[in-house]
Amino acid sequence: MKKILSIASILALGIMLQASAVSAHVPIPGIDSGTLFQWPAGLEPTLDGDLSEWDIVPEDYYVPFDSHYEYYLGLGHENDESNLSFRVVGSWSAGTNRLYLMMERFDNLWVRTGFGQTAAGDDSWEIMIDADHGGDRHFALPDDFEDDEERQRNQGRFAQNAHYVWPEMPDANRAVGGKWLFNSQSTWHDKPPWGDYGFQLDGEVNSGEATARIEVMTIAWDDFYWIGPDESLV
């Protein structure tokens, strides 16, 4: 089924960056705070879509499927696991200063055509990170700044919203694969050492049931500047 999957609990998790019970500085209605697992130094996951390394994570760190609130169709918590089901973990490594996110997701149809508007119209994982807890908007509107340069400077500056779309598709409209940072001209943010991912799909795209195994590594930027990492602040 064509859908954009936005994990509400991850929105709260991603802004805290610590392995203890947390609450956001700027509360988001309907989104509960959670707990990030902290990786022991040297045991951070290899990003290849093999989730066996995540077996070290205790079960109570997982974001369960029944926490998902469906906004787009207005279904709320009336979730049908024969259509979509998943489990998610948010984690952090003090050694690498990186966030690591994992999703194991069943879908009755994994859509990947590369056409459409939001996230190329395909199945995606949308993650928002507000590292400094400021509640800043993740995009700038045309009327917010007088010139284009200043507007682009403030796209994703203090909070970043990304659509992750797989498998990669070079000819896709807008979201070609990996991490599409909303409205930003950045071309480096999803490349190691700043970002990376692992993806495996049991099943075929656009053809029946499939289970995706996804790993994401990303920086949590306090002040992101699309020009490059040397101009940005972690």
Side-chain angles (χ1 to χ4, degrees):
M1 175 177 290
K2 187 179 293 185
K3 61 182 77 70
I4 303 164
L5 186 59
S6 179
I7 306 304
S9 297
I10 284 296
L11 301 184
L13 289 171
I15 60 180
M16 301 312 299
L17 312 184
Q18 58 188 18
S20 59
V22 298
S23 60
H25 289 190
V26 181
I28 305 174
I31 296 178
D32 295 328
S33 297
T35 303
L36 289 180
F37 175 76
Q38 182 158 308
W39 289 92
L43 294 182
E44 295 84 4
T46 301
L47 303 174
D48 55 8
D50 179 353
L51 304 184
S52 60
E53 293 162 300
W54 295 81
D55 291 344
I56 192 176
V57 180
E59 192 65 30
D60 56 357
Y61 284 88
Y62 282 79
V63 179
F65 179 62
D66 58 16
S67 70
H68 174 58
Y69 190 92
E70 204 289 317
Y71 287 94
Y72 185 72
L73 298 176
L75 299 178
H77 288 291
E78 297 179 10
N79 297 305
D80 179 2
E81 294 197 51
S82 67
N83 178 298
L84 173 70
S85 183
F86 59 81
R87 60 177 188 150
V88 173
V89 174
S91 66
W92 167 254
S93 170
T96 63
N97 198 21
R98 300 290 189 273
L99 279 169
Y100 296 86
L101 309 173
M102 182 276 275
M103 175 188 285
E104 186 172 27
R105 167 177 167 177
F106 166 82
D107 203 329
N108 68 334
L109 180 63
W110 188 275
V111 177
R112 186 68 170 120
T113 63
F115 298 98
Q117 296 183 356
T118 304
D122 293 344
D123 282 307
S124 68
W125 188 7
E126 182 177 0
I127 299 171
M128 182 181 291
I129 298 175
D130 181 9
D132 67 357
H133 318 169
D136 300 279
R137 195 168 63 192
H138 64 270
F139 61 92
L141 296 172
D143 294 336
D144 290 341
F145 300 95
E146 293 184 359
D147 60 74
D148 290 339
E149 182 177 349
E150 187 67 13
R151 185 183 309 112
Q152 187 56 223
R153 171 67 181 95
N154 284 276
Q155 298 290 7
R157 181 172 183 176
F158 299 118
Q160 298 84 46
N161 184 69
H163 291 269
Y164 291 81
V165 189
W166 299 281
E168 293 201 18
M169 185 178 290
D171 296 328
N173 175 28
R174 300 179 71 180
V176 299
K179 181 179 181 180
W180 171 54
L181 195 57
F182 185 75
N183 277 359
S184 175
Q185 296 178 1
S186 171
T187 59
W188 56 268
H189 62 275
D190 58 347
K191 308 292 191 300
W194 316 112
D196 203 357
Y197 70 87
F199 175 80
Q200 293 184 13
L201 187 69
D202 290 346
E204 301 293 331
V205 295
N206 308 315
S207 180
E209 296 180 350
T211 297
R213 297 177 176 87
I214 304 166
E215 300 172 282
V216 169
M217 176 273 287
T218 186
I219 287 276
W221 300 99
D222 281 339
D223 189 345
F224 176 80
Y225 194 179
W226 69 271
I227 289 177
D230 292 339
E231 292 78 14
S232 301
L233 178 65
V234 178

